[in-house]
Amino acid sequence: MTDEVILEVKDLKTYFNVDEGVVKAVDGVSFILHKGETLGIVGESGSGKSVTNLSIINMIPSPPGRIAGGEVLFMGRDLLKLPLSELRKIRGNKISMIFQDPMTSLNPFLRISTQMIETIVLHQGLDAKAAKDRAIEMLKMAGIPAPKKRIDQYPHQFSGGMRQRVMIAMSLSCNPEILIADEPTSALDVTIQAQILDLMRDMTSRLGTAVILITHSLGVVAGMCDTLCVMYAGRVIERGATNDLFADAKHPYTQGLIKSVPRLDRAVSDRLFSIRGQPPNVIDLPDCCPFYPRCDRAMDVCKRKYPRTTEFANNHSVGCWLYTEAR
Ligand code: SF4
């Protein structure tokens, strides 16, 4: 990871108009990504992780969605203001994505070769022969055995883990600056998950690619990420270096998430911690701390106002009244 900032998300807001009101799926999210950094975005389902990342590449279906505000600065250009023709040159080329289920990401009717070569020819301007050589090289790097033969097979001829390896090879084939991986291992069994995470870490560090890893698993981020953003109800409620967050989480929600991870050094008879209650309905949320109905440390002010952000050393910040009030 270097000091060079390649992506800056500033006060991003993505709303969906539904019959019941306005869903503020992402409501004022800001973060910075450096070259070569791996940033984890964690939170429960519905916290806004995936919508944040779809908003970055301006892929929110409209209607019902709309980007209601903010900026996404990629190498100095605001992606939210680019015309579609310019954006297409960036998607899949400078910023690529891996999704949760590799079977639905790959076209089942097309050979792997067709799908990989098309991307490389389109974005890298290589001829078909050179693009195929590049695709084979990437499949080999991704650990696909006999890549010269397997490149001409169809997705159904690969196992789930192998299909995800193909997706990783395909997404890195244009040497992107940023790889967005949205729950890349949750459709795979545990042993394959570990292999895929190792592969992603190995390939992205060799190619110098920055990664945004979306996951609900703290175990995954602990081994993969330099920095973390914890999201709740469409906002980042805590962020900082991964080691700092694990050693000294400030927000009661982050503390609860960490306590709820099973640990080998705990007695089997110890009851696993769980955060009580459910995530809030994000339709027309009142302007208070959205975590207060589930928080054991809630105060009066938490029910009246959204918490201000408090900054700590080493770019660790938290949005919780406990720290603002204490100061
Ligand atoms: Fe709990 Fe209040 Fe902090 Fe929200 S602001 S997490 S309710 S202490």
Side-chain angles (χ1 to χ4, degrees), residues 125-139:
L126 299 181
D127 62 29
K129 162 87 178 59
K132 187 165 185 180
D133 290 345
R134 170 78 178 153
I136 290 169
E137 182 195 326
M138 293 306 294
L139 289 176

Side-chain angles (χ1 to χ4, degrees), residues 251-252 289 291-292 295 297-299 302 307 319-322:
H251 197 287
C289 174
F291 189 62
Y292 90 80
C295 181
R297 304 175 71 186
M299 302 166 285
C302 311
C320 172
W321 281 119
L322 284 173

Side-chain angles (χ1 to χ4, degrees), residues 238-257:
E238 183 159 9
R239 82 173 154 238
T242 305
N243 290 343
D244 291 348
L245 258 77
F246 273 88
D248 186 22
K250 305 278 186 201
H251 197 287
Y253 177 63
T254 318
Q255 291 169 349
L257 286 180

Side-chain angles (χ1 to χ4, degrees), residues 101-116 118 153-157 163 166-167 170:
D101 185 352
M103 197 55 203
T104 52
S105 317
L106 290 165
N107 186 331
F109 296 104
L110 298 177
R111 295 176 198 275
I112 300 299
S113 52
T114 313
Q115 302 186 53
M116 287 190 79
E118 182 189 36
Q153 293 183 330
Y154 289 91
H156 72 270
Q157 294 173 284
R163 282 196 293 263
V166 170
M167 278 309 299
M170 194 184 293

Side-chain angles (χ1 to χ4, degrees), residues 1 37-42 201 211 213 215 217-230 238-250 254 258 313-317:
M1 164 173 154
E37 176 181 351
T38 299
L39 165 76
I41 300 187
V42 287
R201 191 172 30 218
V211 180
L213 178 64
T215 177
S217 165
L218 280 175
V220 168
V221 294
M224 284 284 292
C225 299
D226 304 304
T227 43
L228 276 189
C229 285
V230 182
E238 183 159 9
R239 82 173 154 238
T242 305
N243 290 343
D244 291 348
L245 258 77
F246 273 88
D248 186 22
K250 305 278 186 201
T254 318
I258 291 172
N314 202 15
N315 295 323
H316 186 170
S317 63

Side-chain angles (χ1 to χ4, degrees), residues 39-51 53 97-102 105 164 168 179-188 193 196-197 200 211-218 220-221:
L39 165 76
I41 300 187
V42 287
E44 288 165 294
S45 298
S47 58
K49 309 180 298 287
S50 296
V51 176
N53 285 290
M97 288 192 81
I98 306 176
F99 296 96
Q100 195 174 77
D101 185 352
S105 317
Q164 200 59 308
I168 292 172
L179 173 68
I180 299 176
D182 191 350
E183 306 265 12
T185 56
S186 49
L188 305 172
Q193 280 184 14
I196 293 295
L197 291 172
M200 266 181 56
V211 180
I212 299 177
L213 178 64
I214 304 167
T215 177
H216 56 261
S217 165
L218 280 175
V220 168
V221 294

